[in-house]
Amino acid sequence: MSANSGRQQAIQNITNRTPLAVSPTDFLGKIWAQDVFDLGRMEWALSKTAFKSIKKTVQTGEPLDAATADVVAAAMKEWAVSKGAKFFSHIFYPMTNITAEKHDGFIITNSDGGAITEFSGSLLIKGEPDGSSFPNGSLRMTNAARGYTAWDPTSPAYIMHTDNGATLMIPSVFMSWTGEALDKKIPLLRSNAAMNEAGQKVLKLMGETEIASLNSSCGAEQEYFLVDSNFANSRPDLLLAGRTLFGAPPAKGQEFDDHYFGAIPARVQVFMQDYEDQLYKLGIPAKTHHNEVAPGQFEIAPYFEAANIAADHQQLMMTLMKATAKKHGFMCLLHEKPFAGINGSGKHVNWSVGTSTQGNLLDPGSTPHDNLLFLLFCGAVIRGVHLHGPLLRAVIATASNDHRLGANEAPPAILSVYLGDQLEKVFTDIKEGNIHTSELGGEMDLGLSQILNFDRDPGDRNRTSPFAFTGNRFEFRAVGSSQSVSGPLVAMNTMLADSLNWIAGKLETELGGGASQADAVVSVLKELMNEHGNVVFGGDGYSEEWHKAAVEERGLKNIPTTADALPALREASVVELFSSTGVLSPVELESRFEVYAEQYVLSIEVEAKLVIDMAQTLIYPAAAAYLATLANTSQSMSAMGVELDNSVAKLVAQQINAMVGATAELGAALAKEGFSSTEEHMQFCAQGIRPLMDQVRAAADALEGYVADELWPLPKYQEMLFIK
Ligand code: ADP
Ligand code: MG
């Protein structure tokens, strides 16, 4: 037997790994946002008038006039060039979860053949990265494929450093020439505007006079795995699919919980510090980091920011995380389920809405009036999740997240809202008429401020809920770790806008009829809870009873796969939700359905091909070689008159045959064509392809338990997860 090179070499290489030496950076106050062209830098670099104008744009989102754009562009370029940048790039977020860039030089040559730098306002405001190669769904049909990028001035430009240069990065929207949104940023901005408009109505009806614009906030907790690159590089599945398509469970998994919040391994610690320093320079407020439940799994959470900025920062964080991990000899896995049988990764999206005048509207206030506002906004969320649960499921639907949702460690694929005991009781009392309006509006405030500003003790929280109130915000926990947070934020903002509009209509009628504010609020919330209270659930979301009761008694939907979830984007109610709020036109929404469906099908097909390839070229040869050794040994022993027990050889042969058979079936399934609809094609991927992939894997994983260790070509789970 000869040792397999790739895996054995990887094991050799890793034994003497030491943390990468990184030079310590300056203190936080000095490096904070040093690479960001933020308002402070603009104030310093611009004339008073130009600054006033850009500041207004930044704070209100109003379009930038051409003259100011020119001045800002010139100042931005000066600053970037002084920091070593020779290139600039509009950075944008196509409908997939990726981040896209197109780099251009500042350089132009003058008539003497010399080189100078130039960057005009029109280049800042509009770039043209030929959008034809980005997925645009049906928008491809209705428009020229060309796409445009334009700076989103509410998100500051920044410098990205690489080993040999620096580039000015300009956060941008991406649209077709007729103005249709081809990206994830435009809908997010629109959803925020829709939510603001609806929220203003409610606040006005509640007697508020001074109201700044409402903005949504987001703080995303990101989970990820680190695997030594020596191992990752000898696993084609990790390299191409971001997850292991094969691998038997290790003898020791996460049973002992000894990794969770344990000491961070030295190499990882150094990686984290390096990574966080980079984040600080970019003005990204990294706040906490720790080990997660599974071995090799970690989490990082920045402090929350305005949703639009948080979404840009989230994308940047994922990009930087991968690049920095590589530098430290790791592969960073953002996949939702890189290792079967081991906890998956999610991205908890903490979300709230507020204004600079009223504060956080999801924070119970200190006065009865504040609490009325709080209850209205909270009620609006309850209504939204109930009416649009399938939409919320659709925006977190990806081939990779399907491995996580519905497994008994991640939120169930049923959307319900957890409020906590005290708040649930308040809403139940309102529903059942047990709260007297004199209590709500009068001197007593039900002790809401005390009970609701409650112990934000994580132990007290229901971790099994996909959508939980956590003291002053909601936490959408079913979002996938590799996803952009924009889709979920758009859905949440839009459903909230719709509910606030509904509430405004009802309030207006009540108040017009002469009801007091408190009476009006209670009456509206009573109706709301009667219609939508079914979505509130405080029990164990993983339990079988809930899965049954949710569907049979509560009328909620259990939507297990992406194939089942994405068609929600075509439902009349969803089309109406997005067009009535102005967030997405029907054609923009349809194009999203098409792009997401295509992504789903493609990613399953790529994985299936990889399963076939790895089974045939890596696992079969190893297993066959081992079988040959067994047969030879048996023969030689027999010649000596010793009969060996051949049961292992038989088992190996059996599993080889099972694997070969399933591989052939999978190949045939992949060749199937002629689906009558996208829906049918997705269902075939979910029901016809995935189970066959699992069959191939089951046989291969069984072989891993028999084949001589030194012959096994793929790094094993225990190696990838435990060797640091
Ligand atoms: P936990 O793990 O207990 O959920 P973390 O502190 O890890 O808590 O993460 C909580 C996240 O929620 C952070 O990103 C935090 O900034 C964010 N957050 C806190 N308050 C709000 C709020 N009002 N709106 C949005 N996000 C918030
Ligand atoms: Mg959390």
Side-chain angles (χ1 to χ4, degrees):
M1 283 194 276
S2 68
N4 175 273
S5 52
R7 171 168 163 245
Q8 301 298 343
Q9 192 62 50
I11 296 174
Q12 291 274 305
N13 288 351
I14 185 161
T15 40
N16 297 320
R17 287 279 225 184
T18 47
L20 187 75
V22 278
S23 40
T25 48
D26 257 314
F27 60 94
L28 183 59
K30 195 151 174 209
I31 62 171
W32 175 252
Q34 72 176 27
D35 287 335
V36 186
F37 196 61
D38 54 15
L39 274 180
R41 289 211 161 75
M42 288 196 241
E43 180 162 28
W44 185 82
L46 298 173
S47 72
K48 263 212 170 78
T49 6
F51 178 69
K52 236 176 108 182
S53 166
I54 181 80
K55 189 173 165 197
K56 193 159 171 226
T57 296
V58 170
Q59 286 169 349
T60 64
E62 262 177 42
L64 200 59
D65 66 85
T68 312
D70 269 331
V71 185
V72 174
M76 197 186 274
K77 187 206 74 183
E78 281 311 309
W79 172 78
V81 168
S82 78
K83 295 191 73 87
K86 296 186 187 73
F87 284 80
F88 67 93
S89 172
H90 283 240
I91 181 160
F92 56 102
Y93 314 95
M95 285 185 249
T96 55
N97 284 319
I98 63 157
T99 303
E101 309 169 359
K102 182 181 182 226
H103 295 231
D104 266 309
F106 285 125
I107 185 168
I108 57 163
T109 46
N110 59 24
S111 49
D112 322 325
I116 55 167
T117 59
E118 193 181 78
F119 186 54
S120 67
S122 59
L123 274 178
L124 170 64
I125 292 193
K126 218 163 209 186
E128 190 183 328
D130 178 22
S132 55
S133 48
F134 292 102
N136 51 13
S138 51
L139 295 174
R140 194 180 286 140
M141 260 72 89
T142 49
N143 302 299
R146 196 158 270 188
Y148 293 91
T149 53
W151 182 37
D152 162 19
T154 56
S155 188
Y158 55 90
I159 303 273
M160 274 292 258
H161 294 280
T162 51
D163 283 346
N164 49 7
T167 303
L168 171 68
M169 306 299 284
I170 303 163
S172 301
V173 297
F174 181 44
M175 64 200 154
S176 73
W177 71 279
T178 44
E180 265 133 355
L182 294 174
D183 71 349
K184 288 187 176 271
K185 190 186 249 294
I186 296 175
L188 180 52
L189 294 169
R190 288 183 191 155
S191 73
N192 203 63
M195 191 273 299
N196 171 39
E197 200 182 313
Q200 296 277 341
K201 281 189 240 168
V202 171
L203 293 178
K204 272 194 198 107
L205 285 164
M206 290 298 291
E208 297 288 316
T209 45
E210 199 189 317
I211 318 169
S213 43
L214 280 86
N215 208 342
S216 48
S217 300
C218 163
E221 302 158 54
Q222 170 84 53
E223 292 175 334
Y224 61 99
F225 279 85
L226 292 178
V227 172
D228 190 279
S229 48
N230 282 293
F231 291 133
N233 289 338
S234 43
R235 297 231 24 158
D237 46 2
L238 285 186
L239 288 174
L240 293 180
R243 74 168 176 121
T244 55
L245 296 168
F246 296 96
K252 179 184 167 183
Q254 61 193 52
E255 302 82 359
F256 299 107
D257 270 345
D258 49 1
H259 180 70
Y260 198 30
F261 284 96
I264 297 171
R267 276 178 65 208
V268 177
Q269 183 80 49
V270 175
F271 152 79
M272 283 177 171
Q273 279 161 359
D274 186 11
Y275 174 54
E276 280 157 15
D277 271 349
Q278 295 178 61
L279 296 181
Y280 291 146
K281 289 179 191 165
L282 291 165
I284 301 177
K287 182 118 169 78
T288 58
H289 63 219
H290 58 78
N291 288 357
E292 261 301 324
V293 182
Q297 191 186 27
F298 307 92
E299 177 183 300
I300 179 160
Y303 199 69
F304 70 98
E305 302 176 276
N308 178 38
I309 306 291
D312 286 2
H313 280 170
Q314 237 294 304
Q315 293 297 111
L316 187 50
M317 284 178 74
M318 291 197 284
T319 307
L320 276 176
M321 190 182 281
K322 286 192 193 154
T324 310
K326 202 167 173 186
K327 192 170 117 192
H328 288 257
F330 291 113
M331 179 186 244
C332 169
L333 303 174
L334 294 175
H335 193 285
E336 283 74 3
K337 194 80 179 174
F339 302 98
I342 303 284
N343 253 32
S345 300
K347 179 140 57 195
H348 293 178
V349 175
N350 293 270
W351 166 77
S352 64
V353 299
T355 72
S356 60
T357 40
Q358 277 71 27
N360 179 357
L361 290 155
L362 289 173
D363 200 357
S366 48
T367 67
H369 175 76
D370 284 351
N371 280 330
L372 288 180
L373 294 183
F374 162 71
L375 289 173
L376 281 176
F377 276 77
C378 209
V381 175
I382 294 171
R383 178 183 178 273
V385 178
H386 185 240
L387 278 180
H388 300 294
L391 168 65
L392 290 173
R393 175 64 184 90
V395 296
I396 52 169
T398 59
S400 50
N401 210 15
D402 280 2
H403 293 287
R404 176 175 163 260
L405 298 181
N408 265 4
E409 39 120 333
I414 305 168
L415 261 298
S416 64
V417 178
Y418 169 76
L419 295 178
D421 291 345
Q422 290 102 331
L423 186 56
E424 183 173 336
K425 182 169 182 312
V426 172
F427 274 99
T428 311
D429 283 349
I430 292 177
K431 179 177 166 188
E432 289 168 358
N434 294 335
I435 275 193
H436 301 290
T437 53
S438 58
E439 293 175 323
L440 266 183
E443 304 87 71
M444 286 175 61
D445 70 345
L446 289 168
L448 268 181
S449 49
Q450 287 83 356
I451 57 173
L452 293 178
N453 276 323
F454 60 105
D455 31 29
R456 291 177 190 166
D457 167 18
D460 193 34
R461 292 188 201 159
N462 185 330
R463 294 245 158 223
T464 66
S465 173
F467 207 97
F469 180 71
T470 49
N472 60 357
R473 61 190 186 267
F474 280 90
E475 186 170 329
F476 191 7
R477 300 209 181 103
V479 181
S481 49
S482 65
Q483 269 194 279
S484 153
V485 295
S486 296
L489 288 169
V490 168
M492 291 191 281
N493 282 342
T494 308
M495 74 180 194
L496 184 63
D498 175 62
S499 285
L500 290 171
N501 279 328
W502 180 87
I503 286 176
K506 294 281 171 187
L507 272 182
E508 199 164 11
T509 313
E510 292 287 332
L511 294 168
S516 71
Q517 264 185 15
D519 275 333
V521 169
V522 168
S523 148
V524 171
L525 288 178
K526 192 161 189 252
E527 181 179 345
L528 186 150
M529 283 304 289
N530 274 318
E531 284 176 32
H532 307 291
N534 266 352
V535 80
V536 176
F537 175 65
D540 178 2
Y542 296 170
S543 70
E544 260 172 52
E545 300 87 80
W546 169 240
H547 284 235
K548 207 161 131 59
V551 177
E552 289 170 13
E553 288 156 33
R554 306 268 195 124
L556 304 179
K557 291 211 170 99
N558 186 358
I559 307 174
T561 71
T562 297
D564 303 312
L566 285 182
L569 299 180
R570 288 184 150 171
E571 290 289 328
S573 60
V574 173
V575 177
E576 169 62 20
L577 170 74
F578 281 116
S579 54
S580 68
T581 46
V583 174
L584 289 170
S585 69
V587 57
E588 286 173 327
L589 183 60
E590 173 64 16
S591 71
R592 274 150 187 83
F593 168 80
E594 285 170 25
V595 170
Y596 303 157
E598 188 180 25
Q599 295 265 305
Y600 174 70
V601 168
L602 277 179
S603 55
I604 291 188
E605 286 178 353
V606 165
E607 284 192 350
K609 284 183 199 153
L610 205 50
V611 163
I612 296 176
D613 192 56
M614 290 173 71
Q616 290 177 173
T617 65
L618 289 166
I619 296 166
Y620 182 87
Y626 182 54
L627 192 56
T629 322
L630 290 181
N632 286 341
T633 313
S634 176
Q635 237 174 20
S636 343
M637 295 303 286
S638 191
M640 288 192 265
V642 183
E643 293 306 322
L644 270 187
D645 178 341
N646 280 331
S647 56
V648 169
K650 281 183 191 149
L651 281 171
V652 170
Q654 248 172 35
Q655 296 296 352
I656 290 182
N657 287 340
M659 186 178 80
V660 170
T663 307
E665 271 189 71
L666 180 57
L670 263 179
K672 190 172 148 68
E673 278 174 25
F675 298 97
S676 64
S677 66
T678 310
E679 279 88 347
E680 194 189 308
H681 197 173
M682 285 198 291
Q683 285 297 343
F684 183 73
C685 287
Q687 312 299 337
I689 293 190
R690 278 237 154 121
L692 288 173
M693 290 167 60
D694 291 343
Q695 271 185 40
V696 179
R697 176 178 191 153
D701 289 359
L703 286 169
E704 190 181 323
Y706 290 112
V707 173
D709 187 70
E710 59 183 339
L711 286 179
W712 195 254
L714 296 168
K716 297 184 172 182
Y717 269 28
Q718 66 256 30
E719 291 153 3
M720 293 187 283
L721 290 167
F722 290 101
I723 300 181
K724 282 278 115 59

